[in-house]
Amino acid sequence: SPVYQAQYMESSNYAVTASRATTLGLIFNPNDVAFSNHKIRQALSMGIDRANIGKNSNGDLLPAYGLIPPAVHWNGTAYRDSYPETQTAYDADAALALFQEGMQEIGKESLDSTKILVCSALMDCENLHDIIQTWQEVFGFYIGIEEVSESDTETAADQTYTVAVYGITAGYDSPAGVLDQFYSRTNQFYYANGSVDAAINALHQCSSAEALQQQCAQLEQTILNEFCFLPIFYKNQYCITKSSNKDIGYDPFSGALNFRNAKHFE
């Protein structure tokens, strides 16, 4: 389950395994004049004070600077231990200057009023308020929040959204599995880049584990530099079992449970 549920977390009758396997980011409608401007998207990313968000989430959310979440392993170790994310310092003045350049490029004085589409099953919307508040202080505009159910999120993918929160994870435990989500023909958020597609294909032809790790690091940075997906939080996935059951293996990427070593105590 992606949802933090206090009744299980705080009960001795249940054992909860939390794995930070999802990266939540902001995506933008590519047909929107303002948000298809690179400088405006980059400014918005620079205008997120990532060191100071997610603090009221009971540990459910950690600020994200990268695409590949902490639960991902490669070659026997946590991928982020080998390739830590680049943590850029928050700089409100630089963000505003870049935002104004972008607005000049599109010939607009101000942004149209809009809302961030958020699926309630993906995260607690309260945790977006710090981002929205900082944007209001830095750029002088207010973006609202539109909370939708899971089924509405799928219909929202018909490009009626302007900004939305989107969760990225992998189908298997590998940094390549995360980056696969950016493949033009299969992603759900209208991201399309031929050179990124070629780089994703190259990941699957890699001759060594080290080479794959390096290529993943380069590709992650390439995608981040486009600011089409602005990482905001690393999110926990939860596996909830009764305390009487021990040693159940859990794969947060496939969602599979492994009962090979499981024990049951009455």
Side-chain angles (χ1 to χ4, degrees):
S1 164
V3 183
Y4 176 92
Q5 296 173 61
Q7 73 269 29
Y8 294 118
M9 305 295 277
E10 290 155 17
S11 165
S12 58
N13 296 329
Y14 294 92
V16 180
T17 306
S19 307
R20 225 169 274 285
T22 301
T23 303
L24 299 180
L26 296 173
I27 55 168
F28 305 94
N29 189 325
N31 297 327
D32 186 278
V33 174
F35 295 117
S36 56
N37 181 279
H38 185 279
K39 285 179 181 170
I40 290 174
R41 295 194 310 272
Q42 183 176 357
L44 291 182
S45 185
M46 290 165 68
I48 298 170
D49 184 5
R50 286 181 175 83
N52 290 303
I53 58 174
K55 290 185 171 173
N56 301 322
S57 70
N58 290 317
D60 185 41
L61 304 170
L62 267 190
Y65 296 82
L67 304 175
I68 297 165
V72 171
H73 292 79
W74 185 245
N75 224 10
T77 57
Y79 175 80
R80 281 281 161 229
D81 288 350
S82 306
Y83 288 93
E85 52 187 1
T86 308
Q87 297 198 2
T88 43
Y90 171 66
D91 186 337
D93 294 338
L96 178 60
L98 193 64
F99 179 75
Q100 287 168 336
E101 278 180 41
M103 292 301 281
Q104 229 168 347
E105 281 179 9
I106 63 167
K108 288 184 84 163
E109 289 291 309
S110 60
L111 283 183
D112 299 335
S113 66
T114 187
K115 289 183 174 177
I116 300 176
L117 202 69
V118 194
C119 172
S120 48
L122 206 53
M123 68 173 285
D124 182 345
C125 298
E126 287 296 310
N127 292 292
L128 285 176
H129 287 301
D130 289 335
I131 294 172
I132 288 169
Q133 199 178 334
T134 309
W135 279 354
Q136 194 173 6
E137 289 162 10
V138 175
F139 306 114
F141 65 73
Y142 178 76
I143 287 188
I145 294 172
E146 186 179 348
E147 196 168 345
V148 292
S149 70
E150 211 148 2
S151 55
D152 289 341
T153 311
E154 282 156 25
T155 55
D158 61 6
Q159 282 182 281
T160 53
Y161 74 95
T162 310
V163 187
V165 175
Y166 192 86
I168 280 186
T169 186
Y172 57 102
D173 190 0
S174 161
V178 179
L179 298 171
D180 281 346
Q181 309 306 308
F182 288 87
Y183 199 70
S184 297
R185 285 199 293 275
T186 53
N187 76 66
Q188 302 292 303
F189 49 99
Y190 302 97
Y191 172 81
N193 181 325
S195 60
V196 166
D197 290 346
I200 290 171
N201 288 334
L203 292 179
H204 297 283
Q205 318 294 318
C206 252
S207 53
S208 75
E210 286 77 14
L212 182 109
Q213 229 173 358
Q214 252 171 344
Q215 285 187 32
C216 284
Q218 285 167 349
L219 181 53
E220 178 182 37
Q221 201 51 56
T222 298
I223 296 170
L224 284 170
N225 290 347
E226 288 186 290
F227 299 97
C228 292
F229 179 97
L230 311 187
I232 48 175
F233 293 116
Y234 296 128
K235 168 91 179 68
N236 273 336
Q237 286 288 110
Y238 299 99
C239 175
I240 300 163
T241 55
K242 287 202 164 168
S243 299
S244 51
N245 298 315
K246 302 278 188 224
D247 299 333
I248 297 172
Y250 168 60
D251 179 350
F253 300 102
S254 66
L257 295 171
N258 182 343
F259 295 96
R260 190 181 304 157
N261 302 314
K263 300 170 192 68
H264 178 73
F265 301 94
E266 289 300 337

